[in-house]
């Protein structure tokens, strides 16, 4: 591609901010616009379900950079301006403000949107947790309530259930799967997470679907597939997220569970993607992957920026992610396919202090540590060297 006179980064979260900052660090001096659909300064999302919900952080503490940092880097912020369309031929982006903005280089970092149930989201007290506004609204309702039902026992749901329990609420965690986080970590770790929550007073209704949200105007209960109704002052729906790609419909850009990219995060001529929205070919694991974790947002933002500037280096990380629940810090490195065999290498699951290796085709493809950070760091190399 030709010279870059203007680069537009769509998505003002961790991946987008990192992309913009990396472009400047790597010597790019042209026009640089960061477009975000929210009106607030870009912020970090992982603390929302933990520190912000628990009340140990004020929402302002999640802000990634002060306003002055963007001006100092010559980054033009377009906040409160959602992207609504992309014209690849004309190299223009349509914004919700009615404006059209041209680009020579584009990085898509629009992240994900929360999945919802097909019913009940118009009731007061029913929440999703994706934005800082969501976190503030949910915390406000929790502080005024006695009981909460969390629908979904993945990372977000389990963390939020722990935070709500620490606030003193009566908490019930519901999921159609038999154990929390059984995907990706398997039965043994899922059983240990379930035991932790039960010891802390969280009620588990696992292997059970949600069929209705009850109430008139405000939620009063959650109907389950076994016919029971759980009373609830508040409901958090944490059933996953979908890539925010609707604005790309009709653009011709390849979209399939995210923006489909090659190993360099390139989706089309002059167009790259980074963070939760990117589905790229990871040569280390030999397939397409999309990773919804914080470290990947930073690392992929850096890679996309450098490759847009011409580096063309394949992005081949072993993903790193973590979850904090009660006194447990669970950290994971690599991938955790359903067919992998889990082997406890250090410590013991019963003691909730261990490192486990996940093996597929005779190779260590993932390592997991539960309150054993130092040993996990030592064992990460097994994943990196398994190619």
């Amino acid at each position: 591609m030709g010279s870059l006179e203007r680069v537009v980064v769509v998505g003002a979260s961790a991946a987008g901010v990192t992309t913009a900052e990396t472009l400047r660090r790597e010597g790019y001096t042209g026009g640089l616009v960061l477009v975000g659909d929210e009106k607030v300064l870009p912020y970090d999302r992982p603390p929302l379900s933990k520190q912000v919900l628990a009340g140990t952080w004020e929402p302002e503490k999640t802000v990634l950079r002060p306003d002055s940092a963007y001006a100092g880097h010559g980054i033009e912020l377009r906040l409160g301006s959602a992207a609504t369309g992309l014209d690849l031929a004309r190299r223009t982006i349509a914004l919700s403000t009615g404006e059209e903005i041209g680009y020579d280089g584009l990085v898509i970092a629009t992240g994900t949107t929360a999945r919802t149930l097909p019913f009940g989201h118009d009731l007061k007290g029913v929440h999703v947790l994706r934005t800082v506004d969501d976190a503030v609204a949910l915390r406000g309702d929790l502080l005024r309530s006695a009981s909460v039902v969390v629908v979904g026992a993945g990372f977000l749901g389990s963390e939020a259930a722990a935070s709500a329990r620490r606030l003193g609420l009566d908490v019930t965690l519901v999921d159609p799967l038999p154990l929390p986080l059984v995907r990706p970590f398997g039965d043994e770790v899922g059983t240990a997470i379930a035991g932790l929550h039960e010891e802390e007073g969280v009620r588990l209704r696992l292997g059970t679907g949600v069929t209705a949200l009850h109430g008139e105007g405000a939620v009063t209960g959650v109907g389950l597939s076994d016919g029971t109704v759980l009373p609830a002052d508040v409901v958090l729906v944490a059933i996953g997220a979908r890539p925010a790609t609707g604005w790309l419909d009709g653009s011709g850009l390849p979209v399939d569970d995210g923006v489909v990219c090659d190993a360099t995060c390139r989706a089309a001529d002059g167009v790259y993607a980074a963070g939760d929205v990117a589905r790229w070919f990871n040569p280390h694991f030999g397939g397409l992957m999309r990773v919804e974790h914080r470290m990947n947002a930073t690392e992929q933002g850096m890679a996309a920026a450098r490759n847009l500037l011409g580096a063309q280096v394949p992005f081949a990380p072993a993903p790193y992610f973590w979850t904090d629940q009660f006194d447990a810090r669970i950290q994971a490195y690599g991938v955790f396919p359903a067919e992998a065999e889990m082997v406890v290498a250090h410590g013991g699951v019963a003691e909730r202090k261990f490192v486990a290796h996940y093996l597929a085709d005779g190779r260590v493809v993932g390592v997991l540590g539960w309150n054993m950070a130092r040993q996990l760091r030592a064992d990460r190399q097994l994943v990196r060297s398994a190619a």
Side-chain angles (χ1 to χ4, degrees), residues 20 40 44 58 94-95 116 124 146 165 180 241 246 249-250 299-300 305 370:
V40 296
D44 212 8
E58 289 300 316
L95 301 180
T116 56
K124 188 178 184 301
R165 186 70 193 120
D249 290 351
E299 293 174 351
Q300 196 162 24
W370 184 315

Side-chain angles (χ1 to χ4, degrees), residues 331-351:
Q331 298 164 286
Y333 189 81
V335 295
F336 299 84
E339 68 277 8
E341 176 193 3
M342 179 189 134
V343 177
V344 177
H346 313 279
V349 176
E351 295 74 38

